[in-house]
Amino acid sequence: MLSMVLIMAFAAVLITGCGAASAGENGAAGGKTYRLAYQCAYSAGGGPYVYASELADTIVSCSGGRVSMDCLATNSIVSTADILEAVGNGTLDCGQTIAPSFPDDSLGILSTLPVGMTADQYLGWYIGGEGQQILDEVMLEIAPNVVAFPCAVVDSEILYHSTVPIKSLDDIKGLKIRGISDWAKIETILGASVVTMDGGECYEALSRGTIDAAEYSTPFANFSAGYHEVAPYLTVPGIHCPSATHLFLINRNVWEGMDEQMQNIIKTSCKAMMIQAYSEDRIANVDAWAKFEELQDQGKLTIFRMSDEDMQTIYDTAHEYYEEKCESNPTFAKIYNSQQEYIATVSSWDDAAAID
């Protein structure tokens, strides 16, 4: 199945469509044509935007001309925080975002969780496990007029870019640090003064001293955004975001108005982009990390790594927080327990197969 998915992904041709919500009668491949208004949650040029745009290109190409759609950057029609609602009410036909951007940020676990699943575990849970079933059930609860599919999974993030050294957990106490969703809550418990802001605002906030540190994204995305220009200190590992899964959202009325062939094209394109995004992001991050190390060699950047003791403290704090959250939030508990069950199921073979 993965071989078929990869073939479809890399066979996709970059074709530009045009956005406006409507459906015609006959397309080049026979059947209805669809002009879809599509907006992602990311600024143009960065890695996440590239993957969102390539998904549109893949759907257009595989549809044989039956679909046209442009990938609009964040805030083109609605704000990132409003993408879910906009897809539900038909302002957008479809969109791409991550679950921490949902109005109920406790659902961020659908995309990422501090000390949670890695990229390969999200792939397994969504494609081979019960992840898609859980996603379907949750969407019916929170946004009944939206259908969602995982469509990209990316590598671990950098923990902090900062204007002051962060060598240990003691160093975050009292610092103004950008954080979102569950990680913001955990950082607060650990002593940070958390500031919530859109990721696109972090560069300016660091340069002006509005915040002391920020977690933003992967090495490739961070280097492309130039965070090293305004924050000469970098801290790893990205325990706050071991991976991130992006979600493709489509209006349920639009979805149910499509024939089975068109639905299968979209579902298969989303699976294909999960593999493609992970593979490409991994290589891009390797290259970007080498550039960060080169900056350190030149004395322009200092890289720190949290100790094993600090990592264990974060792990323990996070799971205590999750236990309390499960007691008060049944939806979170359903997702969390499913993911933990999947991790437990594969861990025995993971340990047996480990070479190092």
Side-chain angles (χ1 to χ4, degrees), residues 153-224:
V153 60
V154 295
D155 208 357
S156 174
E157 293 187 356
I158 286 171
L159 180 54
Y160 295 123
H161 281 273
S162 58
T163 58
V164 296
I166 299 179
K167 305 176 186 178
S168 69
L169 285 180
D170 287 338
D171 293 331
I172 75 169
K173 290 180 170 57
L175 289 187
K176 294 175 291 184
I177 301 178
R178 183 261 179 171
I180 61 172
S181 194
D182 291 305
W183 181 238
K185 309 287 197 313
I186 294 167
E187 278 184 305
T188 300
I189 296 170
L190 293 170
S193 178
V194 175
V195 179
T196 300
M197 64 175 61
D198 186 86
E201 301 174 9
C202 291
Y203 181 96
E204 190 70 20
L206 284 166
S207 66
R208 292 185 175 184
T210 306
I211 57 175
D212 302 305
E215 54 86 6
Y216 178 62
S217 190
T218 61
F220 171 69
N222 287 17
F223 189 88
S224 299

Side-chain angles (χ1 to χ4, degrees), residues 92-135:
L92 295 171
D93 297 308
C94 48
Q96 186 178 145
T97 188
I98 55 174
S101 297
F102 289 171
D104 181 354
D105 69 0
S106 69
L107 299 175
I109 186 175
L110 291 167
S111 289
T112 185
L113 190 72
V115 299
M117 292 203 296
T118 60
D120 63 317
Q121 288 171 340
Y122 264 111
L123 277 167
W125 182 65
Y126 267 122
I127 296 178
E130 64 176 3
Q132 183 65 58
Q133 176 187 335
I134 295 290
L135 179 59

Side-chain angles (χ1 to χ4, degrees), residues 192-262:
S193 178
V194 175
V195 179
T196 300
M197 64 175 61
D198 186 86
E201 301 174 9
C202 291
Y203 181 96
E204 190 70 20
L206 284 166
S207 66
R208 292 185 175 184
T210 306
I211 57 175
D212 302 305
E215 54 86 6
Y216 178 62
S217 190
T218 61
F220 171 69
N222 287 17
F223 189 88
S224 299
Y227 277 86
H228 52 283
E229 300 166 355
V230 294
Y233 303 101
L234 184 158
T235 306
V236 291
I239 190 171
H240 71 294
C241 184
S243 66
T245 299
H246 300 254
L247 301 176
F248 178 77
L249 313 177
I250 185 166
N251 179 275
R252 187 174 296 276
N253 295 328
V254 173
W255 175 254
E256 293 179 351
M258 292 178 169
D259 57 53
E260 185 178 4
Q261 181 190 45
M262 194 65 251

